[in-house]
Amino acid sequence: MAYNLQSLITILQQILNPQESLWIVDSNTPLLQSLLKKAESLLDILEKSSLTNIPTLESQIRDVSYKAEDIIESSMVDQMMSTPRGKRLTFSKPNLLHNIMQQLDSATEQVVKLVEAKKLSTGISSSSDASSSHDVQQAMQHLESFQLVEVEETKMPAGDALSSSKNVLVGVDADLLHLKDWLTNMQSKLEIIPITGMGGIGKSTLARNLYGDPLIITHFDYRGWAAISQLPNMRVILLSLLRLPNGKIDDELNECNENELKDILYKRLFGRRYMIVLDDIWSTKFWDEIRMYLPNNSNGSRIVITTRDSNVAQHIVNSKSLLHNLQLLNKAASWDLLRQIVFGEEDCPLKLQGIGSKIASECGGLPLAIHVIGALLSKVERSRDVWEHLSTDVKASIVKSEERFSNILSLIITTYPFT
């Protein structure tokens, strides 16, 4: 099923092909290229997966595709009506396309999680008896309409980051206290705070909780959040950093080119005590390009970065000793997190505590693996037999390779990078 994505992809390819297109897109080229890449990536994942009969997801993707086509085609019609001989394609409201890209990101995230959950379910149900197999299949039906709780948020605008303070954090109280002190200490010079660690360990969740902490909100005059990713789009990143506290972007900013946005960012930050979060940095090249627009006001401003590459972090801070490296959860913290996901405020039945703790420990201390397993456990029958079956198959799927949880996380991390 193409979910109407192919139609959108074809339109974008034709517009962006200078040999075929009748339009000149100029400053809108990066925006349209980014939209094309996201649509192609989502289509590729869908075609390689075996997901079928998920009406809600299919409808969501189809609606987003139609909206994108309507925006593009309406702009073409408006342009032809106002300037019949003109060939320059402009968008009166570029933020609408930014919203489309965010919706594509959300759809991609859901697809990846569903594919991974289905892989896990297949392994579990194959070795379970008829009763537990039925429970697991029921759980998968729930999962297909249930968006897994985020351990790592990517591509999150500042407004969303601010509202995400209720992310489940376990075993990181010391990290929070240390980083809050680092952010609010009396050092006046601009400081860069790098949060490092492997994919799925909770770097972005920790950064989001810092970003939305009441003490942090009152301490800084200005806060900005941008998700960088493996293929950063500088213009989109600048617009994200310039968002208003309510998450919206001023209409006039959408009309600015990249260099104008850089100047606006510098002027907005100059003289103010600011906190900027650059989430999921993959390369030093991006940092080298943006650093000159983040002024040192000598007033206690802070820049928080998250990255899985310690070499990138060392390049940015010019020191190995300043890295804040997140560690895997210990067994007690792993069980605490799994218990919160499955039971919430309820107590775990005594009969499930032993097997539950065992399942948690088999996730290797990685929060993302615990969230995936927890989402499944929360939907199956709360009986020791069912959980024993799950424990056997979880362990088998996690320990098949040298990396204990690689089979659960490989598709999520490689296809849609969480940090």
Side-chain angles (χ1 to χ4, degrees):
M1 292 176 286
Y3 299 86
N4 200 53
L5 282 168
Q6 187 57 62
S7 174
L8 172 60
I9 289 170
T10 300
I11 291 173
L12 289 168
Q13 287 173 336
Q14 290 174 345
I15 293 174
L16 291 168
N17 187 337
Q19 296 179 342
E20 295 182 10
S21 180
L22 298 175
W23 298 95
I24 300 172
V25 291
D26 288 348
S27 60
N28 290 304
T29 298
L31 178 63
L32 295 176
Q33 286 175 335
S34 181
L35 178 58
L36 173 61
K37 185 172 184 63
K38 291 178 186 295
E40 288 177 332
S41 175
L42 177 54
L43 180 58
D44 182 60
I45 296 170
L46 287 166
E47 290 181 340
K48 290 179 180 178
S49 73
S50 57
L51 295 177
T52 56
N53 298 322
I54 311 177
T56 302
L57 183 61
E58 292 175 19
S59 175
Q60 176 187 346
I61 297 174
R62 192 177 298 111
D63 289 346
V64 173
S65 299
Y66 284 139
K67 286 180 184 177
E69 290 183 40
D70 287 344
I71 293 169
I72 295 170
E73 291 172 354
S74 295
S75 297
M76 290 178 174
V77 172
D78 291 343
Q79 188 68 24
M80 287 186 290
M81 293 293 289
S82 60
T83 315
R85 296 184 181 181
K87 294 173 60 179
R88 195 171 303 278
L89 180 59
T90 59
F91 296 94
S92 59
K93 296 182 178 179
N95 59 306
L96 294 178
L97 287 180
H98 288 299
N99 292 336
I100 292 294
M101 288 193 289
Q102 290 175 6
Q103 292 177 58
L104 285 176
D105 286 339
S106 174
T108 302
E109 179 184 338
Q110 292 182 58
V111 169
V112 169
K113 288 176 180 176
L114 288 173
V115 170
E116 191 57 40
K118 188 174 284 289
K119 284 173 59 181
L120 182 59
S121 170
T122 302
I124 293 170
S125 60
S126 62
S127 63
S128 301
D129 59 24
S131 174
S132 61
S133 176
H134 174 71
D135 289 327
V136 172
Q137 293 304 321
Q138 270 195 330
M140 287 310 303
Q141 291 174 11
H142 283 287
L143 278 173
E144 288 176 351
S145 60
F146 170 74
Q147 188 167 350
L148 296 181
V149 178
E150 293 236 37
V151 179
E152 314 287 358
E153 159 50 328
T154 61
K155 299 175 177 58
M156 172 171 285
D160 293 330
L162 179 59
S163 65
S164 301
S165 58
K166 295 184 179 179
N167 288 290
V168 177
L169 281 171
V170 171
V172 295
D173 289 344
D175 291 297
L176 274 172
L177 290 173
H178 172 68
L179 291 171
K180 283 171 67 174
D181 180 65
W182 196 349
L183 285 164
T184 59
N185 64 29
M186 300 302 293
Q187 289 288 336
S188 60
K189 68 176 183 178
L190 173 65
E191 290 195 345
I192 301 166
I193 302 174
I195 303 175
T196 61
M198 66 186 302
I201 202 167
K203 300 183 297 297
S204 297
T205 299
L206 179 58
R208 279 201 309 282
N209 278 268
L210 287 168
Y211 189 91
D213 185 275
L215 173 63
I216 300 301
I217 293 173
T218 57
H219 182 77
F220 291 98
D221 303 322
Y222 185 92
R223 293 173 305 125
W225 177 291
I228 313 308
S229 78
Q230 198 167 4
L231 296 171
N233 183 321
M234 180 59 77
R235 189 173 188 279
V236 172
I237 290 167
L238 292 167
L239 286 170
S240 182
L241 292 175
L242 290 166
R243 286 178 183 272
L244 299 172
N246 61 9
K248 295 182 179 180
I249 299 174
D250 286 333
D251 290 338
E252 58 266 26
L253 292 179
N254 287 314
E255 304 301 323
C256 297
N257 60 39
E258 184 177 306
N259 289 330
E260 290 171 334
L261 290 174
K262 289 177 178 177
D263 290 338
I264 293 171
L265 177 63
Y266 183 88
K267 292 175 181 177
R268 184 173 292 188
L269 298 179
F270 187 78
R272 306 172 81 176
R273 181 161 64 189
Y274 64 83
M275 173 190 178
I276 293 293
V277 179
L278 302 175
D279 185 34
D280 193 23
I281 294 182
W282 284 69
S283 72
T284 60
K285 181 180 179 182
F286 166 79
W287 170 254
D288 292 340
E289 183 178 356
I290 200 172
R291 62 185 302 182
M292 67 184 69
Y293 302 100
L294 304 173
N296 181 3
N297 298 321
S298 297
N299 62 357
S301 293
R302 301 288 183 262
I303 300 170
V304 177
I305 67 165
T306 71
T307 179
R308 66 186 65 186
D309 190 336
S310 60
N311 291 325
V312 171
Q314 289 174 36
H315 169 85
I316 292 174
V317 299
N318 197 26
S319 171
K320 188 175 182 179
S321 60
L322 293 177
L323 306 189
H324 187 88
N325 188 51
L326 291 187
Q327 303 298 317
L328 295 170
L329 300 179
N330 59 32
K331 290 185 178 181
S334 295
W335 171 226
D336 192 18
L337 175 58
L338 184 64
R339 188 170 60 242
Q340 285 189 37
I341 295 169
V342 178
F343 298 102
E345 299 298 322
E346 299 178 29
D347 292 330
C348 172
L350 184 62
K351 64 181 180 180
L352 296 178
Q353 290 183 9
I355 185 62
S357 178
K358 178 183 176 185
I359 292 173
S361 67
E362 288 165 352
C363 291
L366 192 68
L368 183 53
I370 296 171
H371 272 272
V372 172
I373 301 303
L376 185 58
L377 285 174
S378 66
K379 300 302 176 184
V380 300
E381 178 187 338
R382 293 180 179 179
S383 73
R384 184 175 178 84
D385 288 342
V386 172
W387 281 38
E388 286 280 5
H389 281 298
L390 286 168
S391 174
T392 301
D393 292 290
V394 165
K395 185 173 182 179
S397 63
I398 293 177
V399 190
K400 279 182 181 177
S401 65
E402 294 180 0
E403 296 184 15
R404 299 188 59 205
F405 31 75
S406 63
N407 284 354
I408 284 184
L409 300 176
S410 59
L411 183 106
I412 294 178
I413 291 175
T414 58
T415 310
Y416 190 79
F418 291 81
T419 63

